[in-house]
Amino acid sequence: MSAAETILEVEALRKYFPVRNVWKRRIGWLRVLDDVSFSVRRGEILGIVGESGCGKSTLGKTLMGIHTASAGRVIFEGHDIAQLKPHQSRRFREHLQYCYQDPGASLDPRWTIRSSLHEPLVVHTTLPEPEREARVREILRAVGLPETHLDLYPHEISGGQQRRVGLARILTLKPSVVILDEPTSGLDVSVQATILNLLLSLREQFGLTYLFISHDLSVVRMICQRVAVMYLGRVVEIGDTEAIFSAPRHPYTQSLLAAIPRIGGPRVTDSFALEGEPPSPTALPSGCRFRTRCPKAQKRCADEDPVLRADWERQEAACHFAT
Amino acid sequence: MASELISVRNLRVSFGSDAGTAKVLDGVDLAIRAGEIRGLVGESGCGKTTLARAILGILPRNSARIESGEIRFGGRDLLTLPESALASEVRGREIVYIPQDPSTAFNPVFTIGTQIDDLMRFKSPLLRGGADDRQGFFNSYPRERRAADRARVLELLRLVQLPNPEAVLRKYPHEVSGGQRQRLMIAMALLPEPKLVIADEPTTALDVTVQAQILKLLKQLARERGVAVLFTTHDLGAAYEICDRITVMYAGQEVEEAPVDGFFERPSHPYTRKLLDSLPSSEAGIRGIAGEIPRLIDPPPGCRFHPRCERATGICRTERPPPEAVDALHSVRCHHRLSATEPAS
């Protein structure tokens, strides 16, 4: 591992949701996150990829404290924040921010951009008004908007500008880690490129660390240094982006990469082989979760749950037969 | 051309609102041949869905206005065909629709079997040419036809690789997964044995692995049955996978039309080139398109792309470029089109 310091460490994090019947009796658990462990180094962009329902958004929300963890530890800048009450964790979470899919949609339509940008500072800091105003103006310039926009209302600016204001609002508290939840899904390629460039330049400017949750593998490949691949609440493979994309070890990662259309290459639709869809997280298969769709599955996979093996230089995979 | 299945000529559709009249389609030409899979790509708001809806005749009646143009299909102009004939002979029979989001396309309170029965009752291919084509709600659904229809349904559900079709018919839409719902949608679209399927972003709501499965299925079934597909998408990768030809739209006008290989290898319109350049790729980094898409209420005159185009000159500001042939199948609307040998911008 490189010498860069670890800023966020996740250890055996679990989030189970109870499944209840009509009479509110618990009849099972929805195991959305099951022993997820990884660490994030300062300044890097860690991509978290997987299909819908694999728990990637729940992971982001559990780190943020929007959901409380069922078990496990989240060590952020030296403090365990997983089990803290909301009021205790506030001073740590100031530096850990969550960015929803469309940050512009979270602006209050009846507030001016100025009020929206001041709010986080009022809540979290005791800065006097002039200093807040200076901070707000600085951030607004950083996201590429003119200061005249401060007095406008969200409906008076375009959707793309709203997104920028949303990002500015997240940055006013000078966070060190930002969790980006599907920041580009639903965008056209040309707009997506603009947003990605903005995210990269902001990271440079403010020394940010990103947790980039996405299902778009080509975007992840472009901007992340490391990637964690999730399947049904588990990290099945984690490592350097280049290592994973050039030599995926886990059969799930291999199928996921094989499914991306590659312009100019052979047609995926002529060769794609993975059958079926992920099973329901309320009724997980025994042993390895991927064995029901895995081309390499054998008896051992049903009996034994594979753990992440660090058998390769820059990546780890949770599969008995990965080579 | 004789083999044209449908041809849209000079179609103009506008939407009225308080702010003014938005010209959402402004002189669109599009011709699809029988059995062809045609991609219709462009950014959101470029008019892809409006064009699809205009062909189906399901534009919102109170806000949309068809200003001019014609849609020739099977020797008739769909825009002047009376609604009753359109409903009983064309829509749902010869031209069918696969929606973007299969979860909202089903009625949640009826089983899938009931909904497929309803479809077959009015749109079964066995009805074609029959005297009782224009059925009312209370008309009977003869037992023999019902049995024959049921056999077709089960056969097609097997073709779209749904496990245990009989059981699926008894389920409610929420009991099957998103990928299976989209398979059901494809099956339902093909049941009336149409000539043209309009698939409006059929895979945007799906994960990549499921998307690959669905695209494979759509391509295979369309080929086997010789059905033409109009596949609208903003995902160029998906278009590359299954299309024979691709049409690019920008701000309500088609700007380039090319066979799939020519489209990706030799884009001739500056907008197409920029669109391809903004795809994430490891070599070139991330490049967006400067500027924003124009407001359709007062779009720029001439070529609508000129405010964002560095090749623009005087003529681009005044005149919409006519279609010019690059080769036999490839045409482009640009006064200063890119030549094949030109390096990437």
Side-chain angles (χ1 to χ4, degrees):
Chain A
M1 281 212 178
S2 69
E5 94 184 92
T6 300
I7 189 166
L8 182 72
E9 176 116 39
V10 178
E11 284 175 25
L13 188 67
R14 281 186 190 174
K15 178 64 197 173
Y16 291 3
F17 290 99
V19 181
R20 298 180 193 278
N21 65 8
V22 190
W23 296 278
K24 307 276 163 143
R25 274 193 59 164
R26 185 166 51 75
I27 51 168
W29 291 105
L30 192 66
R31 294 189 280 167
V32 182
L33 294 177
D34 212 358
D35 291 336
V36 171
S37 305
F38 60 88
S39 59
V40 188
R41 298 171 209 146
R42 187 178 289 277
E44 78 172 348
I45 305 181
L46 174 68
I48 296 181
V49 298
E51 295 175 283
S52 43
C54 74
K56 51 192 195 305
S57 284
T58 309
L59 174 66
K61 288 182 180 169
T62 310
L63 293 181
M64 245 346 263
I66 298 170
H67 298 313
T68 48
S70 307
R73 303 207 299 160
V74 177
I75 297 160
F76 175 61
E77 293 182 331
H79 304 273
D80 184 1
I81 58 169
Q83 306 294 339
L84 292 183
K85 296 274 182 307
H87 66 276
Q88 295 170 313
S89 64
R90 181 179 284 174
R91 66 197 175 93
F92 304 119
R93 303 218 196 270
E94 216 181 292
H95 301 292
L96 181 63
Q97 287 285 333
Y98 189 85
C99 173
Y100 284 93
Q101 192 181 101
D102 181 1
S106 48
L107 297 175
D108 189 322
R110 297 193 296 176
W111 279 16
T112 58
I113 305 300
R114 175 180 278 115
S115 324
S116 284
L117 290 181
H118 271 274
E119 192 194 20
L121 293 170
V122 173
V123 172
H124 283 279
T125 66
T126 52
L127 288 178
E129 216 271 37
E131 279 177 44
R132 275 187 286 152
E133 180 72 14
R135 173 95 68 97
V136 164
R137 283 170 187 268
E138 176 204 349
I139 301 284
L140 201 67
R141 265 197 308 279
V143 298
L145 290 178
E147 286 180 9
T148 46
H149 274 42
L150 280 173
D151 294 311
L152 299 179
Y153 287 89
H155 73 265
E156 293 175 295
I157 59 180
S158 75
Q161 290 177 331
Q162 283 180 18
R163 257 175 206 266
R164 286 166 192 265
V165 174
L167 280 173
R169 190 172 140 92
I170 287 159
L171 295 176
T172 48
L173 288 170
K174 306 239 161 130
S176 45
V177 176
V178 179
I179 301 170
L180 300 161
D181 194 353
E182 302 267 9
T184 60
S185 78
L187 293 181
D188 292 312
V189 276
S190 58
V191 185
Q192 168 177 299
T194 325
I195 292 283
L196 289 178
N197 278 329
L198 176 65
L199 288 174
L200 288 178
S201 83
L202 289 173
R203 164 170 166 265
E204 202 93 317
Q205 227 171 323
F206 295 97
L208 300 172
T209 305
Y210 287 148
L211 223 61
F212 191 89
I213 301 173
S214 178
H215 67 266
D216 189 336
L217 292 146
S218 40
V219 170
V220 165
R221 179 176 202 170
M222 277 297 303
I223 77 161
C224 298
Q225 279 91 47
R226 289 200 307 144
V227 188
V229 182
M230 288 185 71
Y231 185 74
L232 286 177
R234 276 279 162 86
V235 173
V236 294
E237 184 158 3
I238 183 167
D240 288 5
T241 308
E242 266 328 296
I244 287 193
F245 277 86
S246 56
R249 307 290 174 181
H250 196 282
Y252 177 64
T253 317
Q254 291 167 355
S255 332
L256 206 58
L257 293 177
I260 315 174
R262 239 177 231 112
I263 290 168
R267 303 285 195 279
V268 167
T269 41
D270 295 337
S271 59
F272 190 66
L274 187 66
E275 297 280 329
E277 288 162 41
S280 152
T282 50
L284 293 171
S286 67
C288 176
R289 290 158 194 230
F290 187 57
R291 71 176 167 87
T292 49
R293 299 166 80 194
C294 182
K296 290 188 184 168
Q298 294 180 21
K299 187 168 177 305
R300 185 175 168 202
C301 303
D303 302 335
E304 237 180 283
D305 201 355
V307 290
L308 279 173
R309 286 188 290 138
D311 286 3
W312 303 273
E313 207 171 310
R314 290 176 301 155
Q315 72 202 101
E316 297 170 48
C319 176
H320 296 305
F321 302 107
T323 47
Chain B
M1 247 186 276
S3 59
E4 271 171 14
L5 175 69
I6 185 165
S7 73
V8 176
R9 272 193 215 113
N10 195 26
L11 183 66
R12 289 174 205 276
V13 175
S14 61
F15 283 80
S17 73
D18 295 342
T21 312
K23 296 174 192 139
V24 177
L25 294 183
D26 202 6
V28 173
D29 290 335
L30 177 78
I32 301 174
R33 281 180 254 154
E36 170 186 42
I37 302 180
R38 171 66 69 88
L40 188 60
V41 303
E43 295 172 276
S44 27
C46 73
K48 305 187 291 283
T49 301
T50 305
L51 178 57
R53 284 170 168 250
I55 293 174
L56 281 160
I58 52 168
L59 288 169
R61 228 170 283 182
N62 47 8
S63 56
R65 255 192 48 187
I66 295 166
E67 309 275 354
S68 73
E70 60 171 11
I71 302 176
R72 309 284 313 172
F73 178 76
R76 294 186 286 192
D77 181 5
L78 296 185
L79 292 179
T80 54
L81 207 62
E83 171 61 27
S84 59
L86 200 60
S88 68
E89 294 163 35
V90 180
R91 193 190 305 140
R93 279 285 196 80
E94 303 203 304
I95 305 180
V96 298
Y97 185 63
I98 298 177
Q100 175 172 1
D101 186 358
S103 51
T104 53
F106 280 104
N107 187 332
V109 302
F110 293 106
T111 61
I112 290 163
T114 312
Q115 298 184 49
I116 294 187
D117 271 352
D118 281 348
L119 169 80
M120 293 307 276
R121 185 169 173 176
F122 300 108
K123 305 288 182 190
S124 161
L126 296 178
L127 275 172
R128 192 159 288 158
D132 56 352
D133 260 23
R134 284 181 200 185
Q135 294 219 343
F137 185 74
F138 294 104
N139 288 20
S140 64
Y141 187 7
R143 183 168 298 192
E144 315 82 70
R145 187 157 72 79
R146 184 187 288 249
D149 281 345
R150 184 45 77 96
R152 281 164 175 276
V153 169
L154 291 175
E155 187 202 329
L156 205 58
L157 292 190
R158 263 181 221 111
L159 271 184
V160 297
Q161 292 147 27
L162 279 168
N164 201 354
E166 287 88 351
V168 169
L169 289 181
R170 283 192 299 273
K171 285 184 177 173
Y172 286 90
H174 73 268
E175 295 176 296
V176 301
S177 70
Q180 294 196 346
R181 276 195 289 258
Q182 200 56 287
R183 284 168 198 272
L184 280 165
M185 273 293 149
I186 293 177
M188 287 172 77
L190 294 176
L191 273 171
E193 299 185 354
K195 293 192 179 123
L196 174 65
V197 174
I198 295 177
D200 192 6
E201 309 240 5
T203 57
T204 20
L206 304 174
D207 289 313
V208 273
T209 55
V210 184
Q211 164 174 301
Q213 294 167 358
I214 295 288
L215 289 178
K216 187 177 177 179
L217 186 70
L218 191 63
K219 185 178 178 180
Q220 182 191 336
L221 287 179
R223 285 272 183 278
E224 275 167 21
R225 297 174 169 243
V227 179
V229 179
L230 179 65
F231 177 80
T232 76
T233 184
H234 65 261
D235 181 354
L236 292 164
Y240 173 74
E241 284 295 326
I242 72 166
C243 297
D244 300 318
R245 281 203 289 170
I246 295 181
T247 299
V248 189
M249 283 186 74
Y250 180 76
Q253 298 175 332
E254 96 288 354
V255 295
E256 184 164 6
E257 180 178 301
V260 64
D261 294 326
F263 178 85
F264 288 105
E265 282 159 22
R266 298 178 300 278
S268 295
H269 198 282
Y271 175 64
T272 315
R273 169 48 83 46
K274 281 175 190 279
L275 205 58
L276 291 174
D277 282 346
S278 58
L279 286 170
S281 76
S282 24
E283 301 93 54
I286 311 162
R287 280 185 290 184
I289 304 181
E292 293 190 3
I293 50 170
R295 280 156 43 90
L296 295 172
I297 288 177
D298 54 320
C303 171
R304 285 189 172 183
F305 189 60
H306 81 253
R308 299 169 80 183
C309 182
E310 61 260 19
R311 304 168 79 94
T313 55
I315 189 170
C316 302
R317 293 181 186 90
T318 51
E319 256 176 71
R320 181 181 182 203
E324 262 180 69
V326 177
D327 55 49
L329 294 166
H330 189 157
S331 76
V332 61
R333 279 180 183 264
C334 180
H335 293 300
H336 311 286
R337 67 185 161 96
L338 305 162
S339 61
T341 50
E342 216 159 317
S345 51

